[in-house]
Amino acid sequence: MKPFVYEPPKTPLDILYIDEDVLVVNKPSGLLTVPGKELKHHDSLELRVKIEYPNSFLVHRLDMDTSGVIIFALSKSTQRSLNLQFEKRIVKKIYEARVFGNITEDNGFIDLPLIVDWPNRPLQKIDSKEGKFALTHWQVLDREGDVTRVALMPETGRTHQLRVHMMSLGHTILGDRFYGNVAEINLANELQLHAKQLVVNHPKSGKSLAFVSNVPF
């Protein structure tokens, strides 16, 4: 595992959508969603959003190394509504990733329960007895020599779910400093996992809204 040095990108907020109820932001790779426990890990997307939008409230998270679409509520009632959509799995999420190796099948799913690997936190592991239900659908988008580009559609939102599930297929996500070997880590400067699309029902109108962010790799 690569030694961790927190050097978040100093880029301005990339706002994808805003109205009186919700704010949708494109998170860069390398930025924590919420502040860490130590002062040196205080900088985060939540903090940056709060500075510009003091009435914003966190709804969900992305891993520090994962880039892409993340939604904030602009009132407590909107936060409750969006949280409920995540809890009931009404929200639809599509990620895009580049993984090591050539996946021979065109699509499939991974149904493997996950639990925290306590001695090696924050790593997660597959545990058929104690793990929590985790389901990921996947589809090959392109084959690039020894690398495969895939769309990942998780139905659950477990920590490191996409990383561990792809590793379980023998196709680790490129740049994964937690689960990759030296070759897989060095094939990319950053984790090549991007939250490409998020579909929610607007908390006020009920209209289905799809928020999309361009894949940076």
Side-chain angles (χ1 to χ4, degrees):
M1 191 189 304
K2 277 187 175 180
F4 173 61
V5 179
Y6 189 44
E7 296 177 341
K10 301 300 182 183
T11 52
L13 282 181
D14 183 3
I15 297 171
L16 301 173
Y17 176 88
I18 186 170
D19 63 22
E20 63 181 10
D21 300 298
V22 299
L23 168 68
V24 183
V25 179
N26 185 31
K27 187 186 88 66
S29 176
L31 179 65
L32 289 165
T33 298
V34 298
K37 293 180 180 179
E38 297 184 46
L39 184 60
K40 62 182 179 180
H41 301 152
H42 191 58
D43 188 13
S44 65
L45 183 64
E46 182 184 36
L47 183 65
R48 294 182 185 186
V49 169
K50 279 280 188 186
I51 290 170
E52 295 194 30
Y53 302 93
N55 63 327
S56 61
F57 299 91
L58 187 72
V59 175
H60 65 121
R61 305 182 187 193
L62 292 175
D63 287 347
M64 184 194 78
D65 295 330
T66 304
S67 57
V69 182
I70 187 165
I71 189 168
F72 287 82
L74 295 179
S75 70
K76 290 297 289 184
S77 61
T78 299
Q79 184 190 37
R80 286 192 293 271
S81 173
L82 291 171
N83 280 340
L84 196 59
Q85 290 187 49
F86 275 89
E87 288 171 14
K88 292 189 173 182
R89 298 175 189 156
I90 295 169
V91 176
K92 302 300 180 186
K93 297 168 281 186
I94 300 177
Y95 291 72
E96 192 163 314
R98 294 176 76 236
V99 303
F100 189 77
N102 195 318
I103 301 177
T104 54
E105 299 86 358
D106 291 332
N107 55 70
F109 68 91
I110 306 159
D111 180 5
L112 293 172
L114 301 174
I115 193 171
V116 63
D117 186 359
W118 282 106
N120 300 299
R121 286 177 292 172
L123 272 63
Q124 309 291 309
K125 64 180 181 180
I126 295 163
D127 188 321
S128 58
K129 292 183 178 180
E130 303 294 333
K132 293 182 178 179
F133 170 69
L135 177 61
T136 303
H137 296 271
W138 59 268
Q139 180 178 348
V140 170
L141 300 175
D142 193 19
R143 294 180 175 90
E144 310 163 2
D146 291 332
V147 171
T148 306
R149 185 179 291 269
V150 292
L152 303 172
M153 290 75 71
E155 289 197 18
T156 49
R158 308 300 179 200
T159 301
H160 292 183
Q161 175 175 324
L162 300 180
R163 300 181 189 226
V164 177
H165 273 179
M166 293 313 295
M167 181 182 66
S168 76
L169 290 183
H171 299 284
T172 305
I173 297 174
L174 300 188
D176 192 339
R177 63 189 176 89
F178 285 139
Y179 302 99
N181 60 36
V182 173
E184 294 160 346
I185 294 169
N186 290 337
L187 277 172
N189 293 326
E190 298 173 331
L191 179 72
Q192 297 209 326
L193 175 63
H194 182 74
K196 181 180 180 179
Q197 180 172 301
L198 184 73
V199 181
V200 302
N201 296 330
H202 193 278
K204 291 285 180 63
S205 69
K207 181 181 177 181
S208 178
L209 297 175
F211 305 110
V212 180
S213 166
N214 292 330
V215 180
F217 48 81

